[in-house]
Amino acid sequence: MKLAPEDILPADDCAGALVGRVWLDEPPGPRVVAVREAGLVDLSALAPTMSDLLDLEDPARAVRDHHGEAVCPLFQAIEQGRLLAPCDLAAIKAAGVTFCDSLIERVVEERARGDPAAGQALRAELSQLLGGELSNVRPGSPAAEAVRAALTARGLWSQYLEVGIGPDAEIFTKAQPLSAIGCGGAVGVHPRSAWSNPEPEVVLACSARGAIVGASLGNDVNLRDFEGRSALLLGRAKDNNASCAIGPFIRLFDDAFSLDDVRRAKVRLAIAGRDSFRIEGGYEMSSISRDPADLVAQAIGAHQYPDGFVLFLGTGYVPADDRHGVGAGFTHAEGDVVTIASDALGALVNVVTTSDQAPPWSFGARALMRSLAARGLV
């Protein structure tokens, strides 16, 4: 998989306040960097970790004003596979069932009991029964309560409808800090899964104060058969080696890019397989059922995040095209190249492997502290 800067940068190139992380060998460890036309600039003197950077009073201004050392050209970091997920110590959280289409897909999984062959007929039936009733319902509203009562009377209520239109959003831990994969890396699907898919999402970057200070893209890799068998298998379905990708960079909020731009964003997904299978789709963030700020508020409603957090906002597009036979729907194959893109955020590109074949996660919080200490930063 060969990538160039123009393949992953936003439509306005380096005009935004773009920050990320790259791996350097001397001394070994990650560096927090700014992305500029001349190349990547070390921000270590400004903030040794991305969590520190996001906690600054005005991160975008601080990054623009900082004159750090040049690290390397962006194309070199891409070619050498040095791009890391742009978050480090932040908790990695996710919101689920935040779009009507994904809500229906979760109910499909539940009723199919993890069997992809049963999904096609259920999808058509549930889309007809639920699509019109759910598409314009605000979660937690009196109208949502009326829909709840009507669906319960028809035997259609489910745990996914509860978090989809009920007062409380589904907020869960997607992965551990420092475990996410960056752009260009391999994402892992559990080797026992026979029904998996990418989940293209916008990811908000939040400070320890709970302030939303930027956004990125993410792939919330999902095992539909595992979660479909039981919602109690959510951890197994979501958190496996290399099953979370974030990147390519965090675009910090400034006068030219804000949360309103996230609300208006269009997210695109493309999958290209070695078997010549191709699929493209996408969605608009304007169709989300819960406002991004509300999801952040629910994430911090009964919790504190002293190192900040990133929050996946859920997906409005789940690929369902038949791949291995009529009615079988979509599932990943090893070697799939997954591209998640949005004009203001660039493109997150990863290749699919199995979680046991992806490089093991070995650089955790202790290794990061030792690396920073060796550089005199802590």
Side-chain angles (χ1 to χ4, degrees):
M1 184 173 60
K2 292 186 177 181
L3 296 172
E6 57 266 27
D7 296 322
I8 68 171
L9 283 170
D12 57 357
D13 202 53
C14 297
L18 302 176
V19 292
R21 295 168 62 245
V22 296
W23 180 271
L24 294 184
D25 294 327
E26 291 297 333
R31 304 291 192 277
V32 179
V33 296
V35 184
R36 297 175 180 163
E37 288 188 7
L40 303 180
V41 173
D42 194 341
L43 298 177
S44 298
L46 175 66
T49 69
M50 186 63 73
S51 289
D52 289 314
L53 177 64
L54 299 182
D55 268 355
L56 297 176
E57 188 65 30
D58 187 344
R61 180 179 295 277
V63 167
R64 292 188 187 281
D65 291 345
H66 185 71
H67 301 286
E69 295 183 5
V71 174
C72 66
L74 176 57
F75 79 85
Q76 186 178 42
I78 296 171
E79 288 180 353
Q80 296 178 354
R82 296 183 179 275
L83 288 184
L84 304 173
C87 54
D88 42 42
L89 294 174
I92 303 176
K93 308 293 287 187
V97 200
T98 55
F99 290 82
C100 181
D101 286 351
S102 62
L103 191 163
I104 290 173
E105 288 298 321
R106 295 290 88 79
V107 179
V108 167
E109 291 168 13
E110 179 184 44
R111 293 184 174 246
R113 301 292 184 186
D115 178 11
Q120 193 74 2
L122 283 166
R123 183 174 298 108
E125 176 187 1
L126 291 170
S127 294
Q128 183 178 5
L129 289 171
L130 302 179
E133 296 189 61
L134 300 176
S135 58
N136 296 312
V137 173
R138 183 170 61 83
S141 67
E145 288 302 308
V147 170
R148 177 209 295 262
L151 294 177
T152 299
R154 290 154 60 186
L156 288 173
W157 193 252
S158 86
Q159 57 201 336
Y160 294 106
L161 287 162
E162 174 63 38
V163 295
I165 66 173
D168 298 311
E170 180 191 19
I171 306 291
F172 60 92
T173 297
K174 166 59 185 178
Q176 305 308 305
L178 288 163
S179 69
I181 303 301
C183 185
V187 292
V189 171
H190 196 287
R192 283 178 32 222
S193 176
W195 191 13
S196 62
N197 65 267
E199 293 195 355
E201 306 188 24
V202 173
V203 180
L204 295 181
C206 303
S207 72
R209 305 184 304 275
I212 309 170
V213 298
S216 188
L217 295 169
N219 185 353
D220 177 11
V221 181
N222 186 46
L223 310 181
R224 304 191 66 181
D225 45 359
F226 280 48
E227 186 175 355
R229 283 163 40 211
S230 171
L232 297 181
L233 291 174
L234 178 66
R236 178 63 62 87
K238 293 290 190 180
D239 187 6
N240 298 288
N241 182 46
S243 66
C244 175
I246 302 175
F249 312 108
I250 291 173
R251 183 163 186 168
L252 299 171
F253 289 166
D254 56 17
D255 292 341
F257 180 69
S258 69
L259 188 58
D260 283 337
D261 293 288
V262 171
R263 293 182 174 112
R264 294 188 292 263
K266 297 180 180 180
V267 180
R268 304 181 299 276
L269 171 71
I271 303 169
R274 292 175 179 171
D275 55 359
S276 298
F277 178 87
R278 300 287 186 275
I279 189 171
E280 293 185 5
Y283 63 95
E284 298 185 8
M285 282 294 298
S286 60
S287 62
I288 197 169
S289 61
R290 301 179 192 267
D291 187 75
D294 176 56
L295 291 171
V296 169
Q298 293 218 26
I300 61 178
H303 214 309
Q304 297 79 42
Y305 297 95
D307 297 309
F309 65 99
V310 295
L311 179 66
F312 283 72
L313 293 179
T315 185
Y317 175 69
V318 179
D321 297 39
D322 290 340
R323 184 174 196 172
H324 299 301
V326 176
F330 172 82
T331 192
H332 266 311
E334 191 164 355
D336 282 352
V337 175
V338 179
T339 301
I340 298 168
S342 189
D343 286 351
L345 298 173
L348 171 64
V349 187
N350 299 98
V351 63
V352 174
T353 185
T354 53
S355 56
D356 57 340
Q357 294 298 315
W361 174 38
S362 59
F363 193 90
R366 288 186 298 177
L368 177 60
M369 293 303 105
R370 290 169 183 148
S371 174
L372 294 173
R375 296 165 55 208
L377 295 174
V378 293

